[in-house]
Amino acid sequence: MLLAHLILLAQITHRGVGRGGCGLQENRAIVEKTRAMILHDAPLDSLVGEFPTPGGTPECARVVFSIGGDGHPVDVRVVESSGNVAVNMAVVRSVKKYVMKKELPRWFRTYMLVFRVDDNKMPPNYVDGMRPNQLP
């Protein structure tokens, strides 16, 4: 029984990448509308771990949110992802720093963005297992 639940959980959490990126195709219209409303975005935190690989691992996260009166996203939450918690957290932290165009107050309006990133990808300046800030 436990094994069946773990397999189902794995299928749910990893379905986004296999289907083309966390529902981007199915939600393209609302994602494009949301992108057009971005006044200022914020970079994702570094997603390079201890042992990066040349190609990294493709990951994705789809987030939904509302826009507060000050233009910042509120109630940011991941609704679909490839299952990488570090990527999910980085995406949520980044989106919370965005500044969006303000619209007339409309309750229950939801906006959506899809992020596709390469997790743990070796940066170009990675030398013999040392990051630039560790070089002598």
Side-chain angles (χ1 to χ4, degrees):
M1 181 80 166
L2 178 62
L3 181 59
H5 288 297
L6 291 175
I7 291 171
L8 178 61
L9 180 62
Q11 290 173 341
I12 290 170
T13 57
H14 291 287
R15 64 185 175 153
V17 171
R19 292 188 317 143
C22 290
L24 179 59
Q25 296 299 343
E26 298 89 342
N27 298 290
R28 184 166 297 280
I30 189 168
V31 169
E32 291 301 325
K33 181 180 182 225
T34 302
R35 283 184 185 159
M37 295 184 64
I38 298 172
L39 295 176
H40 176 74
D41 61 3
L44 288 177
D45 295 339
S46 175
L47 297 171
V48 179
E50 219 174 303
F51 302 104
T53 60
T57 304
E59 303 285 352
C60 68
R62 179 165 49 105
V63 294
V64 295
F65 56 92
S66 298
I67 299 175
D70 62 354
H72 287 89
V74 295
D75 192 26
V76 180
R77 59 196 184 282
V78 175
V79 293
E80 185 176 0
S81 81
S82 53
N84 186 315
V85 175
V87 170
N88 295 351
M89 291 171 45
V91 166
V92 169
R93 281 192 302 268
S94 175
V95 170
K96 285 182 176 181
K97 297 175 187 173
Y98 279 32
V99 178
M100 311 292 287
K101 292 179 185 175
K102 296 178 192 172
E103 288 192 321
L104 293 174
R106 295 187 180 149
W107 300 108
F108 308 111
R109 165 81 45 105
T110 301
Y111 300 90
M112 182 183 304
L113 291 170
V114 174
F115 291 79
R116 288 192 267 179
V117 299
D118 290 322
D119 181 41
N120 204 32
K121 184 175 181 177
M122 188 179 296
N125 52 1
Y126 193 85
V127 180
D128 295 327
M130 296 187 76
R131 294 190 178 117
N133 60 349
Q134 296 173 325
L135 294 175

